[in-house]
Amino acid sequence: MILGVFLATLFAGLAIGLPVAFALIFCGIVLMSWMGIFNPQIVSQQMVSGANTFTLLAIPFFLLAGELMNAGGLSRRIVDFAVACVGHLRGGLGYVAVIAAVVMASLSGSAAADSAALAAILIPMMKSAGYHVPRSAGLMAAGGVIAPVIPPSIAFIIFGVAANVSITALFLGGIVPGLLMALALIAAWAVVSGRDAVAPLPRQSARERGKAALRAAWALVMPVIILGGIRFGVFTPTEAAVVAAVYALFVGMFVYRELRLRDLYGVFLNAAKMTAVVLFLVSAALVTSWLITRANIPAELTRFLSPVIDRPRLLMLVIVLLLLLVGMVLDLAPTILILSPVLMPVIGAAGIDPVYFGIIFVMTCCIGLLTPPVGVVLNVVSGVARVPLGQVVFGVFPFLIAQVCVLLLLIAIPELVTVPLDALR
Amino acid sequence: MVVLQRIGGLLVRLVEVVLVLLLAGMVAMVFVNVVLRYGFNSGLTISEEMSRYFFVWLTFLGAALAFRDHAHVGVETFVRWLGPRGRLICVALSNAIILLCAVVLIWGTWRQHAINASMTAPVVGISMIWVYGVTYVTGLAIGVMALGRFLLALAGRVSEAEMARITGDYGPDGAGRAE
Amino acid sequence: AAEIQTRTITVSNGVAETHPVGNGVEAMRECMAERTDGKWTLNAFWSGALGGDLDATQALRSGTQEMVITSTSPLVGIEPALGVFDLPFLFSSAEEADAVLDGEFGAMMSEKLEASGLVNLAWWENGFRNLTNSVRPITRLEDFAGLRVRVMQNNIFLDTFQTLGANPTPMAFGEVFTALETKAIDAQENPFVTIDTSKFYEVQDYVSNTQHAYTPFMVLFSKPIFDTYSPEEQQILRDCAIIGRDVQRRVSRELSQQSLENIQAAGMEYNELDLAEMERIREAVAGVYERHAATIGQDVIDQMMAELARIRGQ
Ligand code: NA
Ligand code: NA
């Protein structure tokens, strides 16, 4: 019943165009009135406590690193490098997009930022080369959602904090699933782009490729710093994020020299504003999350799912289908924050590895970023690529199918996640 | 009116400068701590606490600024289907609910004021009202803006930026998009 | 009786249900069921599911949550006198701690908390804290030198470890495992039970019986809510918390021994410090008592010392 009240309020709020964060605070107000414990202090206290968490500081730092990379010319050089490698293939710019998406994913933690950067650089190139534009835009969107799966990842940080799971393990475990998502996109692109009449780019010489690689090398070192630093015990994830930001600042200012001192103000301001939007959403979601936990929904869900609790694969399938439905209307951060406390007891009771679950959970939420009606990444790409939203939805469809296939594969064979994770740990 | 706009503009610049300083301060504190640990096997004991408090201020001051810029993400799909009158009703209703949220936030902070004021940060020693009290600022700023927008909608007027935010209809060059 | 209403009492805690606190809460629940003819439901949340202990305590003071079971250390920002329990090497045995906490001193501290909107129903036990690290066994004072130790966000612990020559880093509990795993820090300090249940043995090599602090748990109840209960109901709360206390302390002490065996079986090297060396360490940190007397309150420290002297028969 209380879950019904929550969903009805949420949908009604979203339908009249209420921003998600305020819809969630409103849900909180309605829920506590419904439970007979209305007290405005619950709202003010839970919201501030949400942001008052040291581990979440990784979010502004990774967002800042991403902004510095874009402003400092790192993203541009990554795309140039990918063009030098695979631009000459049939459908080459599509492969360029996927490769660039993977490299950028290993530098940044945010799907929206990555797809925006990819679309801004590549869509004009693909348009003039004669590619089907909505489909290209769909690929940028699908490529962008690899960002939260390959470390570093804001989504894993939020899940790690909400579910009390090692962020390091989540980061290491996300690598292989992220690469599988990229492979699936490559396969899907090979199938659907065959009909486009496109003249491939000229093949570049080994010398030119070497030059492009060298120019991109400073950017390619960054994932080594972040992952190596965490894996070999130099930093905690929060510290790795701050080191990444300082590194991007250094490369942009002193190596590429594209970032001037007077640009820094704008870059910091942008990162600060993005942080505020993400964290305000997190804070708002925590009000609802606290009330749902307090209303004992997690225990009820465990009872409800008990028939399938001794069949982990079936349970995972049920949960993923549920999450795909939720993902149609809810953004990544609120989904993680509201559902982690609800789902973790079930996962624990079923004996499923929490790291494996976290990876599948985050992947599913990422796919939700591509599904209408609420698909943040779709909106971003539609805005940057100047393609109507409806056409992007159509264009992303084949890639969405490809990523759902990866998801189903990982549920059928959990070892694809757990074996590489054990090897890396 | 012009004076009010100029004061508003100055206030926005001021908030922006504060946001940049807060983020830069967080980067400095956490980064210096890493350097001190490896370079000198020491650390700033205040950095764990102070960087969190900066973070809280950044989040809640930035949230008010984001509200001014229509940067909080929402769902556009349903409102798009409506005619001008329906859209107007949605804008009015949304802002009324946001006003309610702001009032609850201020009310909650007020009722909790003494509880936070009487607690000190364990290491830094400042009163926690300096941290938790940020929601006065956020609630007030968002509440005043929402009230203004609500009254404008009642009068049948909605800014282009707000209409674009709520319906997803951006200009041909994507103008009005916060991203 | 008509004095007893149907109620749901929410209690939250930072530890897992398998911690001895779980046994204490279960005993409390049985006691309440018996005394209220099943009219009360004790709804328990574990592992910080409802947020951290400090946030929960603030919720108690606002009257938005009934009960929390928390250590004293995070609450020194609310009641500075609680810092007395963070002073290094205060109690020398669990029996001594019981005598002080269940006696006049404990009652005086509980009374202080009422001014902050908190009713302390009983003193339970977190236990003696011991140091683990990945560098060397701690056998003498000099072994603390240069160790990067995670401590709670608490000035007395910071000062204690700084005085011992270590490099203390305040850090949230949730970050500790990763920080130890990645060797961003070398050491942490907690009771054996926490070392065992948090699996610190996977990332730490040495455990030394430093017993540098004894942390009590408090069973706190919201005063705004407590005041709406009938005197009979208030008495049931107090009585059942005492029944829970006896079970909790017994299990805690049994489990502490069991946990020490577990972490040794998991490969940690255990050592005890000899008495002369313990005395040197105690002397080294004597200054901590003076430096924090103003914050804690000299009268509180004096009363504690008088009580201890009385118990020790000096
Ligand atoms: Na990433
Ligand atoms: Na969606």
Side-chain angles (χ1 to χ4, degrees):
Chain A
M1 189 60 214
I2 200 142
L3 212 54
V5 172
F6 164 61
L7 290 175
T9 314
L10 183 67
F11 287 147
L14 292 178
I16 61 165
L18 204 55
V20 183
F22 293 100
L24 286 167
I25 300 174
F26 183 53
C27 276
I29 295 172
V30 171
L31 273 180
M32 61 190 185
S33 311
W34 180 267
M35 290 159 68
I37 55 168
F38 177 86
N39 189 329
Q41 295 171 84
I42 293 176
V43 176
S44 56
Q45 205 208 347
Q46 292 304 320
M47 284 193 74
V48 178
S49 308
N52 192 9
T53 305
F54 184 77
T55 314
L56 292 180
L57 257 77
I59 293 174
F61 296 155
F62 278 129
L63 286 173
L64 178 63
E67 283 292 293
L68 286 164
M69 279 189 328
N70 288 338
L74 274 75
S75 305
R76 172 95 238 167
R77 284 170 179 78
I78 291 167
V79 172
D80 288 348
F81 169 65
V83 167
C85 293
V86 295
H88 61 282
L89 298 175
R90 189 183 167 79
L93 282 177
Y95 304 123
V96 166
V98 179
I99 290 176
V102 169
V103 177
M104 281 160 74
S106 65
L107 305 172
S108 124
S110 144
D114 274 21
S115 6
L118 281 173
I121 300 172
L122 279 168
I123 292 286
M125 290 168 73
M126 296 182 86
K127 200 184 234 167
S128 57
Y131 287 92
H132 186 247
V133 176
R135 190 185 297 135
S136 308
L139 182 67
M140 303 304 138
V145 302
I146 298 176
V149 180
I150 290 184
S153 157
I154 289 170
F156 282 152
I157 294 166
I158 295 178
F159 176 80
V161 169
N164 205 8
V165 172
S166 158
I167 293 168
T168 306
L170 290 164
F171 274 16
L172 295 173
I175 297 172
V176 170
L179 293 176
L180 287 176
M181 285 169 89
L183 280 180
L185 289 186
I186 288 176
W189 178 255
V191 174
V192 297
S193 71
R195 278 167 290 159
D196 290 352
V198 176
L201 297 174
R203 189 190 192 92
Q204 300 200 10
S205 69
R207 195 184 147 77
E208 282 167 321
R209 282 183 193 171
K211 268 188 181 163
L214 217 56
R215 277 195 300 268
W218 285 93
L220 297 173
V221 167
M222 198 143 115
V224 179
I225 298 179
I226 297 172
L227 273 187
I230 297 174
R231 170 62 186 83
F232 295 105
V234 188
F235 330 112
T236 65
T238 312
E239 292 171 348
V242 83
V243 171
V246 172
Y247 176 81
L249 180 75
F250 172 79
V251 173
M253 284 189 77
F254 301 109
V255 182
Y256 293 158
R257 300 187 179 204
E258 289 190 16
L259 201 60
R260 287 153 307 171
L261 206 54
R262 63 168 174 272
D263 300 331
L264 283 185
Y265 181 81
V267 171
F268 269 70
L269 183 58
N270 256 347
K273 283 179 175 176
M274 286 196 289
T275 302
V277 170
V278 174
L279 260 296
F280 191 66
L281 193 56
V282 165
S283 303
L286 281 171
V287 178
T288 314
S289 161
W290 191 81
L291 287 164
I292 285 185
T293 307
R294 175 110 186 230
N296 262 347
I297 306 284
E300 278 173 32
L301 190 79
T302 309
R303 265 196 299 282
F304 176 72
L305 286 174
S306 59
V308 289
I309 217 137
D310 50 356
R311 300 178 63 186
R313 283 194 178 86
L314 191 61
L315 177 67
M316 285 300 291
L317 193 64
V318 171
I319 291 177
V320 161
L321 291 178
L322 175 90
L323 286 174
L324 284 174
L325 277 178
V326 173
M328 291 182 77
V329 290
L330 214 55
D331 200 354
L332 210 147
T335 310
I336 294 175
L337 287 164
I338 293 171
L339 289 183
S340 298
V342 179
L343 291 173
M344 287 318 283
V346 185
I347 295 306
I352 295 171
D353 177 7
V355 177
Y356 166 75
F357 172 72
I359 289 162
I360 300 291
F361 187 6
V362 166
M363 274 180 76
T364 315
C365 295
C366 287
I367 292 172
L369 296 172
L370 299 176
T371 55
V374 184
V376 176
V377 169
L378 290 180
N379 288 332
V380 168
V381 169
S382 147
V384 177
R386 294 173 200 171
V387 180
L389 191 70
Q391 290 189 29
V392 184
V393 171
F394 174 76
V396 84
F397 191 71
F399 310 114
L400 188 67
I401 298 294
Q403 295 190 333
V404 171
C405 288
V406 174
L407 196 57
L408 295 178
L409 182 72
L410 296 183
I411 293 172
I413 315 173
E415 288 76 15
L416 284 173
V417 179
T418 53
V419 171
L421 173 61
D422 288 341
L424 285 169
R425 264 212 260 214
Chain B
M1 207 54 201
V2 179
V3 177
L4 270 181
Q5 271 177 356
R6 284 192 65 179
I7 292 175
L10 279 176
L11 211 58
V12 169
R13 293 289 157 276
L14 179 71
V15 172
E16 288 180 348
V17 170
V18 171
L19 289 183
V20 168
L21 291 178
L22 288 171
L23 180 57
M26 285 156 58
V27 170
M29 278 187 277
V30 179
F31 186 71
V32 164
N33 231 6
V34 177
V35 173
L36 284 180
R37 192 174 68 227
Y38 283 99
F40 308 93
N41 198 19
S42 71
L44 298 170
T45 49
I46 61 153
S47 114
E48 199 274 348
E49 256 177 23
M50 276 319 276
S51 57
R52 268 190 292 128
Y53 301 159
F54 276 33
F55 189 36
V56 170
W57 271 85
L58 174 74
T59 298
F60 284 89
L61 279 188
L65 190 65
F67 184 70
R68 174 190 166 270
D69 297 342
H70 303 282
H72 290 291
V73 194
V75 186
E76 299 143 354
T77 323
F78 308 105
V79 183
R80 295 173 69 98
W81 295 341
L82 301 173
R85 199 180 165 74
R87 291 180 178 194
L88 212 56
I89 293 174
C90 282
V91 171
L93 209 55
S94 297
N95 281 302
I97 293 176
I98 293 169
L99 181 60
L100 170 76
C101 295
V103 167
V104 169
L105 193 58
I106 296 174
W107 183 18
T109 315
W110 173 247
R111 289 213 9 211
Q112 221 175 6
H113 187 106
I115 287 168
N116 286 317
S118 64
M119 177 166 77
T120 54
V123 176
V124 190
I126 56 168
S127 161
M128 288 304 281
I129 194 62
W130 290 106
V131 181
Y132 280 77
V134 68
T135 43
Y136 281 133
V137 184
T138 311
L140 194 67
I142 290 181
V144 166
M145 285 187 272
L147 180 64
R149 289 172 190 179
F150 173 72
L151 293 175
L152 274 179
L154 284 192
R157 287 163 51 203
V158 174
S159 75
E160 270 176 42
E162 174 145 36
M163 196 43 91
R165 210 283 300 151
I166 206 165
T167 61
D169 287 333
Y170 295 95
D173 56 348
R177 179 168 279 285
E179 281 289 331
Chain C
E3 306 277 291
I4 297 169
Q5 293 182 25
T6 305
R7 299 185 186 277
T8 300
I9 297 170
T10 297
V11 55
S12 75
N13 197 299
V15 300
E17 194 170 359
T18 47
H19 192 279
V21 170
N23 304 75
V25 166
E26 194 47 46
M28 234 180 131
R29 182 179 279 144
E30 280 166 22
C31 164
M32 285 176 176
E34 198 185 298
R35 296 272 300 266
T36 67
D37 293 326
K39 279 188 182 168
W40 286 8
T41 313
L42 189 58
N43 197 7
F45 293 89
W46 303 98
S47 307
L50 270 188
D53 290 343
L54 183 57
D55 290 330
T57 306
Q58 291 292 76
L60 259 58
R61 299 176 72 199
S62 329
T64 57
Q65 180 178 323
E66 285 84 7
M67 204 167 125
V68 66
I69 300 170
T70 171
S71 353
T72 51
S73 309
L75 307 193
V76 292
I78 297 172
E79 177 47 70
L82 288 174
V84 72
F85 298 114
D86 297 326
L87 291 171
F89 306 103
L90 184 68
F91 297 125
S92 50
S93 71
E95 290 68 33
E96 229 175 68
D98 290 354
V100 170
L101 293 168
D102 301 343
E104 266 173 45
F105 186 87
M108 183 271 290
M109 291 300 277
S110 299
E111 205 168 303
K112 273 187 186 290
L113 286 165
E114 301 228 350
S116 300
L118 299 165
V119 177
N120 182 24
L121 299 177
W123 298 95
W124 290 11
E125 165 174 285
N126 191 1
F128 278 105
R129 306 178 77 90
N130 295 297
L131 191 79
T132 72
N133 78 90
S134 54
V135 180
R136 56 182 167 255
I138 304 295
T139 57
R140 57 201 182 103
L141 178 58
E142 288 72 17
D143 290 331
F144 286 98
L147 278 188
R148 289 175 300 212
V149 188
R150 175 269 171 176
V151 293
M152 291 180 281
Q153 286 104 332
N154 179 306
N155 276 329
I156 299 176
F157 276 88
L158 275 168
D159 190 12
T160 300
F161 281 94
Q162 252 154 11
T163 309
L164 288 170
N167 172 15
T169 310
M171 189 181 281
F173 186 75
E175 292 235 314
V176 178
F177 188 90
T178 305
L180 291 171
E181 184 183 28
T182 60
K183 300 222 164 43
I185 52 170
D186 307 313
Q188 66 83 40
E189 45 86 46
N190 261 302
F192 290 136
V193 177
T194 311
I195 296 168
D196 185 22
T197 51
S198 303
K199 301 200 167 113
F200 288 147
Y201 50 78
E202 288 181 0
V203 289
Q204 293 274 272
D205 303 318
Y206 305 101
V207 53
S208 309
N209 191 31
T210 50
Q211 299 213 351
H212 53 272
Y214 174 93
T215 321
F217 273 131
M218 292 180 293
V219 181
L220 294 179
F221 206 88
S222 162
K223 188 158 191 309
I225 300 177
F226 191 79
D227 290 344
T228 67
Y229 281 33
S230 70
E232 192 181 345
E233 288 175 317
Q234 294 180 348
Q235 199 53 48
I236 293 175
L237 283 175
R238 291 192 190 276
D239 293 348
C240 291
I242 299 288
I243 287 182
R245 175 193 75 193
D246 296 339
V247 173
Q248 196 267 346
R249 281 184 186 161
R250 178 173 49 74
V251 177
S252 169
R253 281 154 206 180
E254 287 164 9
L255 196 65
S256 180
Q257 199 50 44
Q258 181 60 48
S259 292
L260 177 58
E261 285 165 26
N262 289 350
I263 58 186
Q264 282 178 279
M268 283 188 91
E269 188 183 315
Y270 172 72
N271 73 288
E272 289 180 4
L273 287 87
D274 66 49
L275 286 174
E277 204 51 49
M278 275 304 251
E279 202 43 50
R280 275 186 73 217
I281 295 172
R282 264 177 228 267
E283 276 166 28
V285 294
V288 175
Y289 280 60
E290 286 155 36
R291 283 194 290 275
H292 298 274
T295 323
I296 297 169
Q298 188 64 52
D299 55 326
V300 175
I301 298 184
D302 290 345
Q303 197 175 336
M304 168 67 85
M305 289 310 168
E307 187 84 0
L308 280 173
R310 193 183 57 75
I311 294 165
R312 288 169 187 165
Q314 286 166 349

